[in-house]
Amino acid sequence: MEKHLEALKDAVTRPLWHDPDIMPEPLAPISSDQKCELLIVGGGFTGLWAAMQLKERKPDTDIILIEQTFIGDGASGRCGGFLSTTLAHGETNTDHRFPDEADLLQELGAQNMRELLETLERYDIDARYEKTGETYLALSPASAKEMHLEYQQAIAEGEDVVWFDSESVREQVNSPMVFAGVWDRGGQDGVIDPARLCWGLKDVLVNQLGVRIFEGTRLLDVKPVGDKAMLATCEGGVIRSDKVLMATNAFTSTIGKIRRSVIPVWDYQIATEPLTDEQLDQIAWGKKSRHALADAVNMFHYFRLTKDNRITWGGGGAVRYYFNNGIDEKLMNAPDCYEQLAREFFELFPQLDDVKFSHQWGGIIATSTRFCMVPGVMHNGRLAWSVGYTGHGVGASRFGARIGLELLGYGPTDVIKMQFVTKKSLPWAPEPFRWLGVRLTQRALIKADRNNGKRGLWLKFLDMLGLGFTC
Ligand SMILES: Cc1cc2nc3c(=O)[nH]c(=O)nc-3n(C[C@H](O)[C@H](O)[C@H](O)COP(=O)(O)OP(=O)(O)OC[C@H]3O[C@@H](n4cnc5c(N)ncnc54)[C@H](O)[C@@H]3O)c2cc1C
């Protein structure tokens, strides 16, 4: 059996973070009709942070949060756990889409990060946060050259970045495929255990702040009644509320405007067993450094160490869009994606040839046509949403929650007057064009990566329309 298949043989198909030993008991589903001031739909970071921020500002607000399965079952509990400051999916996307607001977005991102970490400290939530910064690796001499130009520009702009040339990078992360690296160590970017964050927030909301959470409770329909109330129909009862915040991200929404804003893109990951001391010695990483890593290509891998020195490894080409917004849980069963990930893992770290993978899993990323959050509001300010963070939602979702609350009239500030909030996001095309478009784009990105990043005609056409993906 080939090495990568052998290494995957005993992997369980479950997010590494969903450790049964620490997963809290799900709370009971709704079983009778309820009333509240604010109903939050969705128990991921957006929903949880919305409840947290509002309770801290207005402790007497009566909030119900419903979640169709369990808290942290969506992207929030399955992601890579890279916690970054960016609110609009990285500097390139921000500069391209919101050039006049880039500085303000950076400031707001730093404030959001500060407040997020302060909240964890205030409530003693152990999300296993580790301040690592962000490190990008160049996998070819051409990419190293380009990266060095970006590094020089970052230095000129006063950023706290460190350059690793072909020799020094291997002292940080020893791989024959790596030619250079740049470490952005300014700010507070780092990694977390995402499910621990979800469950820590849940615990505080329920046990300290009096939020009522119903798990196993799916929203079927929501509509206004009269001009003061909203009525949400769930499987076990109806909820009458003054306002509703939809925090359902990539999941099919009952609201057309949300449905057209995002598509669910499956992103897959694998995780190793904890590495031994000898294995860590072989790759230097984990001994000399604990970088949070990504390779500097379009179809990038993201990989990091956990507290117990496992490597989680995701992305690359193991990303799928299934026709007509497929989100069935069965799509977690994606052997071709796991095999591809394992094969690529051993290409980067051939010396780890005795490593086994313990977990394999997938989750859905809400991708918007602007590749960052799409907030919105309707029904005279009684129903709002914040969805579509694409690949950068761990930190940004807290800010998305804030925007959602402000759009509902809770402490509105100038933030909701920003173009970032008011500018309409282009809707996705209907099927089959959507499926064809995503497929063509994915192929074109892979081709560009093989061609030292040179973008072909299709990507140039998308760039011209303002739909080009950059990371
Ligand atoms: C594999 C993967 C890796 C990622 N890695 C990173 C990373 O390293 N760093 C980063 O910044 N971002 C990453 N992301 C993106 C990030 O995880 C998300 O942007 C973020 O978690 C979004 O949070 P959310 O609360 O908006 O959505 P979710 O966590 O998806 O929560 C939405 C919730 O709504 C619930 N729901 C949906 N419909 C209904 C309904 N009708 N009734 C009741 N409940 C409903 C769902 O069950 C779900 O729990 C990754 C995503 C994936 C999938």
Side-chain angles (χ1 to χ4, degrees), residues 202-389:
K202 168 184 164 179
D203 179 54
V204 174
L205 291 173
V206 173
N207 296 317
Q208 297 185 45
L209 302 179
V211 173
R212 287 181 285 157
I213 295 185
F214 296 99
E215 291 176 83
T217 299
R218 180 152 183 254
L219 176 85
L220 300 174
D221 186 33
V222 58
K223 51 179 174 242
V225 274
D227 55 7
K228 289 228 161 51
M230 299 294 298
L231 198 68
T233 307
C234 307
E235 270 152 7
V238 296
I239 306 172
R240 200 183 167 92
S241 64
D242 298 346
K243 295 175 178 179
V244 175
L245 179 69
M246 298 294 290
T248 49
N249 211 28
F251 293 82
T252 314
S253 179
T254 52
I255 311 288
K257 282 187 180 171
I258 303 180
R259 230 173 23 245
R260 288 186 288 276
S261 303
V262 288
I263 56 165
V265 173
W266 281 81
D267 188 22
Y268 295 93
Q269 291 183 72
I270 53 179
T272 67
E273 298 280 6
L275 300 193
T276 61
D277 256 17
E278 296 75 55
Q279 287 168 331
L280 292 171
D281 278 336
Q282 285 168 351
I283 56 170
W285 187 35
K287 276 285 178 72
K288 291 209 165 175
S289 70
R290 289 186 62 82
H291 296 288
L293 294 161
D295 40 28
V297 289
N298 289 306
M299 302 297 287
F300 63 95
H301 293 99
Y302 51 94
F303 43 117
R304 54 162 290 187
L305 295 160
T306 60
K307 264 275 190 294
D308 59 352
N309 286 331
R310 296 168 187 271
I311 297 175
T312 70
W313 171 261
V319 176
R320 299 280 183 276
Y321 169 73
Y322 298 100
F323 188 76
N324 216 7
N325 289 7
I327 55 167
D328 194 298
E329 190 63 13
K330 283 194 225 116
L331 296 168
M332 265 246 282
N333 184 18
D336 59 323
C337 290
Y338 301 129
E339 287 167 18
Q340 176 174 349
L341 282 169
R343 199 173 46 245
E344 291 165 350
F345 177 92
F346 287 119
E347 281 167 15
L348 193 74
F349 293 124
Q351 63 275 56
L352 291 182
D353 59 356
D354 54 346
V355 155
K356 299 274 179 281
F357 298 104
S358 58
H359 293 76
Q360 53 184 24
W361 73 98
I364 47 176
I365 289 189
T367 306
S368 68
T369 57
R370 60 190 217 169
F371 306 114
C372 63
M373 70 178 86
V374 179
V377 64
M378 61 197 286
H379 298 318
N380 289 326
R382 276 179 293 143
L383 183 141
W385 60 89
S386 214
V387 295
Y389 307 94

Side-chain angles (χ1 to χ4, degrees), residues 42 44-46 67-68 75-76 79-82 219 247 249 302 363 391-394:
F45 292 141
T46 304
E67 164 53 48
Q68 62 185 352
S76 301
C79 65
F82 285 61
L219 176 85
N249 211 28
Y302 51 94
H392 278 295
V394 173

Side-chain angles (χ1 to χ4, degrees), residues 168-182:
S168 58
V169 73
R170 290 183 193 179
E171 287 166 13
Q172 304 284 319
V173 185
N174 185 20
S175 160
M177 280 183 69
V178 174
F179 287 84
V182 67

Side-chain angles (χ1 to χ4, degrees), residues 50-65:
M52 175 63 92
Q53 291 178 81
L54 186 52
K55 271 292 182 186
E56 288 216 304
R57 253 187 266 153
K58 259 184 101 210
D60 58 343
T61 320
D62 183 16
I63 302 176
I64 289 182
L65 186 154

